[in-house]
Amino acid sequence: PQGSEEAKAFVNAFLKRSMPKMKDEGIQDILTRKAVVLEHYSKKKTKQKRKKTKGFTAKQRREMRLFEIEPEQQRYTIFLPLHELWKQYIRDLCHGLKPDAQPHMVQGKLLKADLHGAIVTVTKSKCPSYVGITGIILQEFKHVFKIITKEDKLKVVPKLNNVFSLEIDGFISYIYGSKFQLRASERSAKKFKLKGTIDL
């Protein structure tokens, strides 16, 4: 137990330590009003910034030639296993491609499917030199298909003003390239509207 004077001295010393920025007169003024707010200095935690992993820009990818297929790899036979994988993928997507399957259902699935590995033929075109080109799609971009033909030639065929036919297990589907100018990743989320007749 402490006396009143010792208690006052303790409180004054405690307040001086707790409120180092305040003068003695200010402390006494606070004590007369019996309202004491002790200052609290919290240590600020330094947040560690997470480093974002930056990918390559489009320009860097072009300079590094990441998506270019080497001439020695441009052979039709190399990509036939890819075509077989694609056919199995479409069969699974369309639940088996049974003879009683509804054509519009198959067409809807094909429009949203990934076409890498599909064998397509240019059936109509405003440029006659494109008509008849047949091969496996190796790369699909927003505006063009890169197709490897049986003659081991890599053809870049624009989607605009071209109609492509695609056949699998007896089902033939036609792709109007002018209405198909999307990246594969964007196409899967797009809703295609059925139209009666479409012109090039």
Side-chain angles (χ1 to χ4, degrees), residues 134-168:
T134 303
I136 300 171
I137 294 178
L138 300 188
Q139 291 173 315
E140 180 188 355
F141 299 97
K142 186 174 182 178
H143 299 291
V144 298
F145 286 122
K146 281 191 177 181
I147 298 171
I148 187 78
T149 65
K150 290 183 179 180
E151 293 78 28
D152 297 337
K153 291 182 180 179
L154 188 65
K155 301 280 187 180
V156 179
V157 182
K159 294 179 181 179
L160 187 65
N161 299 327
N162 286 324
V163 180
F164 304 86
S165 68
L166 186 152
E167 189 270 334
I168 177 169

Side-chain angles (χ1 to χ4, degrees), residues 47-61:
K47 291 183 179 179
Q48 292 182 348
K49 292 183 179 178
R50 291 183 180 179
K51 291 183 179 179
K52 292 183 180 179
T53 54
K54 291 185 178 180
F56 294 117
T57 63
K59 184 180 179 183
Q60 288 172 328
R61 287 196 289 266

Side-chain angles (χ1 to χ4, degrees), residues 77-91:
T77 52
I78 291 178
F79 297 100
L80 282 174
L82 176 66
H83 175 61
E84 294 301 319
L85 286 173
W86 181 82
K87 286 199 293 186
Q88 190 57 49
Y89 154 68
I90 294 298
R91 289 183 190 118

Side-chain angles (χ1 to χ4, degrees), residues 33-164:
R33 287 180 287 148
K34 296 183 180 180
V36 179
V37 180
L38 302 179
E39 293 179 9
H40 176 67
Y41 296 97
S42 60
K43 291 182 179 179
K44 291 183 180 179
K45 293 181 179 178
T46 55
K47 291 183 179 179
Q48 292 182 348
K49 292 183 179 178
R50 291 183 180 179
K51 291 183 179 179
K52 292 183 180 179
T53 54
K54 291 185 178 180
F56 294 117
T57 63
K59 184 180 179 183
Q60 288 172 328
R61 287 196 289 266
R62 283 195 299 271
E63 288 173 351
M64 296 172 72
R65 298 183 174 182
L66 289 179
F67 297 115
E68 288 191 16
I69 300 168
E70 298 295 330
E72 60 270 15
Q73 299 295 322
Q74 295 177 14
R75 295 210 307 274
Y76 185 83
T77 52
I78 291 178
F79 297 100
L80 282 174
L82 176 66
H83 175 61
E84 294 301 319
L85 286 173
W86 181 82
K87 286 199 293 186
Q88 190 57 49
Y89 154 68
I90 294 298
R91 289 183 190 118
D92 294 342
L93 189 67
C94 299
H95 309 294
L97 281 174
K98 297 174 182 176
D100 58 347
Q102 295 179 348
H104 69 272
M105 184 275 292
V106 177
Q107 175 77 7
K109 295 280 187 183
L110 285 172
L111 285 173
K112 294 188 176 188
D114 192 323
L115 297 179
H116 292 90
I119 293 179
V120 294
T121 302
V122 181
T123 54
K124 289 182 181 179
S125 177
K126 283 191 175 181
C127 180
S129 61
Y130 288 127
V131 177
I133 292 176
T134 303
I136 300 171
I137 294 178
L138 300 188
Q139 291 173 315
E140 180 188 355
F141 299 97
K142 186 174 182 178
H143 299 291
V144 298
F145 286 122
K146 281 191 177 181
I147 298 171
I148 187 78
T149 65
K150 290 183 179 180
E151 293 78 28
D152 297 337
K153 291 182 180 179
L154 188 65
K155 301 280 187 180
V156 179
V157 182
K159 294 179 181 179
L160 187 65
N161 299 327
N162 286 324
V163 180
F164 304 86

Side-chain angles (χ1 to χ4, degrees), residues 8 11-12 15 25-36:
K8 282 182 182 180
V11 171
N12 282 326
L15 291 175
E25 295 83 8
I27 292 174
Q28 290 301 324
D29 183 52
I30 290 171
L31 286 172
T32 55
R33 287 180 287 148
K34 296 183 180 180
V36 179

